[in-house]
Amino acid sequence: MGDKFQLIHDVSPGTTGWTVKVVVAEKFSPKVAQRSPTKYQNLTLMDSEGSTVQATLYGQNITAFQDELLLGKTYLISNALVKETNAEYKAKSGEIQWTISGRTRIRRVEENNSNLLISTYSFTDFEDLPKYMDSNVDISVIGMIIDIKPRRIIQTRFGKECQVQDLVLVNKRFDTVLLTMWETFVDNECKYICQNLRKKLILIGKHLKVTSFNGLSISTKADSSFFIDGEFELVEEFKSWGHTNSEIIDNMISEKHYLTSTPSKLSSKLSVPTAEKDFTEIKNIQGLKTAKQFFWIKGKASVKVLNQTYWYMSCNNCNKISSENYGDIYPCVFCKCTDAKAIPRAKVYMQLTDPTGYINATAIGNPAEYFLQSNAEILMNQTLIPTAASMRLSMDEDEIFYVKAMTQELSTDCKFEILFIVNPSQIAGDKNTGKAPVEHIGEPIKFLEPTTKRSLFHSDTDDAQSSKKKCDKSTIEITKKKSMKSKSLFAVHIKKRNV
């Protein structure tokens, strides 16, 4: 990038006559300040040594410069306002911050510094994603976008409506993962992706997190950023791979196995505790007041209240309750999907116990089906109060539960939801680490009615539409195709694309 210009660290408040050559490393979506109605947009600029500085545009300057400072391009910048970052933001934004305005001089330089830019990325392999589940650790991923689900609206626990949209990414091992885009990413990146989906765009995402929502998925954060089909050798190599394997990829898109469940290979890599000290004792979370915490618990589950409804009719797009009849197509009032389909979804309210105490917990979707050893459609058609002859109501042996604490109305105590259930007999322990991956995914579980295959690592990801079902008056046959394997790197969203 040349040596005749100053570097970022040479510029401080009071420095005059400076010009720095930088590449736009990150360009975030515009936001509204928390403490004022002012709109702002942050960028990350990088010099030839890899040093970075946060630059900010405010108000009308965002629109004025929307065709300037393009992601991945190189510029000469001078006369920006340089000031020290407020103390509360220094850890995240650095010591110095630039403000770009109409006084700032910006000149485009025709240089390709993509190799410098991509050298700052450390991509997480898809199969390593489970290591970071619910940890809020920043990850970067790269993957080919092969599908995008309908936009949906969700309500936060504070009553705020948010728009989200899911992308499906695939890596070079044909492993897939779901990336959930939030709010402005839906308006900007997802809109562009929808318009160009057939091009099989390559997505590079930074500042993403791994969550246990939908079993195991990636999600954007406030500071996530993306390149879509960026001018990188890595992207060209990915596109070449896609062209060579277009038939396999097209078949994946056609069959859509990736929409039916959490990729088994991803789930199989989740580190499950084997040492007793790594499990949370139930007595330590009884009366818990702080939500959004996750716990591994080893114990037994049982149904104490037999007279409960073991399923509910739901929207196939957002899983929210529906008043429609099974199979009806309708406009969902929750996610605003205009062609939602009403499908049954399993749920069970049960008691989770270990030697120290008990808590009441709810399991929904796959974990509920696994515990009950039945499925939503069978449960829907069951009219009598269940007995041990019609479904499983208790566990004879200890199993491992991944539990989330959540807030509940009219109480300061948390409620609990079971996200995963793991059979410890299927875990090969590692004595050195005290951790073990969940294995033997996809082994058959004997149902009390028609047999189906169900993972021993069960997650709340069932899109109920995922099961291909045929019903008649006398029998219900359930078949499930195995989901495509899934491991590697992936996690993504997109940076604002100027088109």
Side-chain angles (χ1 to χ4, degrees), residues 344-463:
R345 186 170 174 80
K347 71 169 185 177
V348 59
Y349 183 70
M350 54 188 174
Q351 191 175 95
L352 189 58
T353 63
D354 72 3
T356 70
Y358 73 88
I359 55 173
N360 294 316
T362 303
I364 305 173
N366 282 351
E369 291 189 358
Y370 169 68
F371 170 75
L372 296 171
Q373 302 247 312
S374 189
N375 63 65
E377 195 161 296
I378 293 174
L379 295 168
M380 178 181 67
N381 288 311
Q382 183 171 282
T383 58
L384 300 177
I385 294 178
T387 65
S390 61
M391 68 175 68
R392 182 168 68 164
L393 299 175
S394 62
M395 292 175 167
D396 296 325
E397 302 292 337
D398 282 351
E399 299 206 27
I400 297 171
F401 302 83
Y402 188 63
V403 177
K404 178 181 180 180
M406 303 183 298
T407 57
Q408 61 177 327
E409 296 180 2
L410 306 178
S411 176
T412 57
D413 291 348
C414 291
K415 61 181 179 180
F416 299 94
E417 181 179 347
I418 296 170
L419 303 180
F420 301 111
I421 303 176
V422 184
N423 188 328
S425 67
Q426 303 298 326
I427 299 175
D430 184 332
K431 295 181 180 179
N432 295 322
T433 64
K435 301 278 186 179
V438 181
E439 296 181 350
H440 304 292
I441 303 302
E443 293 195 2
I445 288 179
K446 300 296 184 182
F447 277 8
L448 299 174
E449 294 200 40
T451 306
T452 187
K453 289 195 174 183
R454 186 73 61 178
S455 167
L456 286 173
F457 189 100
H458 306 278
S459 66
D460 183 9
T461 74
D462 50 40
D463 250 6

Side-chain angles (χ1 to χ4, degrees), residues 74 108-112:
T74 304
R108 173 85 172 265
V109 179
E110 294 301 327
E111 289 183 4
N112 185 348

Side-chain angles (χ1 to χ4, degrees), residues 165-202:
Q165 197 161 10
D166 296 320
L167 308 178
V168 179
L169 303 180
V170 65
N171 66 6
K172 292 182 180 179
R173 283 176 262 181
F174 305 103
D175 305 319
T176 59
V177 68
L178 208 64
L179 170 63
T180 301
M181 309 287 272
W182 286 75
E183 292 292 77
T184 56
F185 297 110
V186 176
D187 292 328
N188 300 318
E189 287 78 2
C190 289
K191 182 178 179 180
Y192 177 80
I193 291 170
C194 286
Q195 295 170 345
N196 297 274
L197 186 61
R198 292 186 178 182
K199 295 182 180 180
K200 297 182 174 67
L201 304 166
I202 307 302

Side-chain angles (χ1 to χ4, degrees), residues 199-450:
K199 295 182 180 180
K200 297 182 174 67
L201 304 166
I202 307 302
L203 187 72
I204 293 176
K206 194 173 186 180
H207 303 305
L208 303 169
K209 64 180 180 180
V210 184
T211 78
S212 55
F213 184 73
N214 276 333
L216 184 79
S217 62
I218 301 166
S219 179
T220 52
K221 303 171 72 172
D223 61 346
S224 296
S225 61
F226 304 91
F227 281 96
I228 301 177
D229 271 9
E231 297 176 0
F232 305 114
E233 290 182 12
L234 189 63
V235 171
E236 292 305 314
E237 292 172 3
F238 217 124
K239 282 192 168 292
S240 177
W241 168 85
H243 180 74
T244 302
N245 296 280
S246 59
E247 186 175 347
I248 297 174
I249 295 171
D250 288 343
N251 185 59
M252 291 176 65
I253 296 172
S254 176
E255 295 190 353
K256 297 187 184 297
H257 291 303
Y258 47 76
L259 296 182
T260 64
S261 63
T262 300
S264 61
K265 280 293 183 180
L266 286 183
S267 297
S268 69
K269 296 296 181 180
L270 186 63
S271 292
V272 179
T274 56
E276 293 297 328
K277 63 181 180 62
D278 294 325
F279 292 106
T280 298
E281 293 182 332
I282 287 179
K283 70 177 182 180
N284 294 327
I285 60 174
Q286 290 172 326
L288 187 70
K289 307 295 184 184
T290 307
K292 290 191 175 181
Q293 296 188 67
F294 301 84
F295 308 96
W296 285 106
I297 294 173
K298 188 174 184 180
K300 296 181 178 70
S302 60
V303 175
K304 297 300 183 183
V305 180
L306 293 180
N307 190 18
Q308 61 174 289
T309 304
Y310 293 86
W311 66 280
Y312 68 97
M313 197 64 73
S314 69
C315 166
N316 69 327
N317 189 49
C318 67
N319 297 328
K320 293 290 187 180
I321 192 168
S322 170
S323 61
E324 303 297 320
N325 295 321
Y326 179 36
D328 284 353
I329 305 300
Y330 70 102
C332 178
V333 297
F334 294 103
C335 67
K336 312 306 179 187
C337 179
T338 57
D339 58 351
K341 184 179 181 180
I343 58 172
R345 186 170 174 80
K347 71 169 185 177
V348 59
Y349 183 70
M350 54 188 174
Q351 191 175 95
L352 189 58
T353 63
D354 72 3
T356 70
Y358 73 88
I359 55 173
N360 294 316
T362 303
I364 305 173
N366 282 351
E369 291 189 358
Y370 169 68
F371 170 75
L372 296 171
Q373 302 247 312
S374 189
N375 63 65
E377 195 161 296
I378 293 174
L379 295 168
M380 178 181 67
N381 288 311
Q382 183 171 282
T383 58
L384 300 177
I385 294 178
T387 65
S390 61
M391 68 175 68
R392 182 168 68 164
L393 299 175
S394 62
M395 292 175 167
D396 296 325
E397 302 292 337
D398 282 351
E399 299 206 27
I400 297 171
F401 302 83
Y402 188 63
V403 177
K404 178 181 180 180
M406 303 183 298
T407 57
Q408 61 177 327
E409 296 180 2
L410 306 178
S411 176
T412 57
D413 291 348
C414 291
K415 61 181 179 180
F416 299 94
E417 181 179 347
I418 296 170
L419 303 180
F420 301 111
I421 303 176
V422 184
N423 188 328
S425 67
Q426 303 298 326
I427 299 175
D430 184 332
K431 295 181 180 179
N432 295 322
T433 64
K435 301 278 186 179
V438 181
E439 296 181 350
H440 304 292
I441 303 302
E443 293 195 2
I445 288 179
K446 300 296 184 182
F447 277 8
L448 299 174
E449 294 200 40

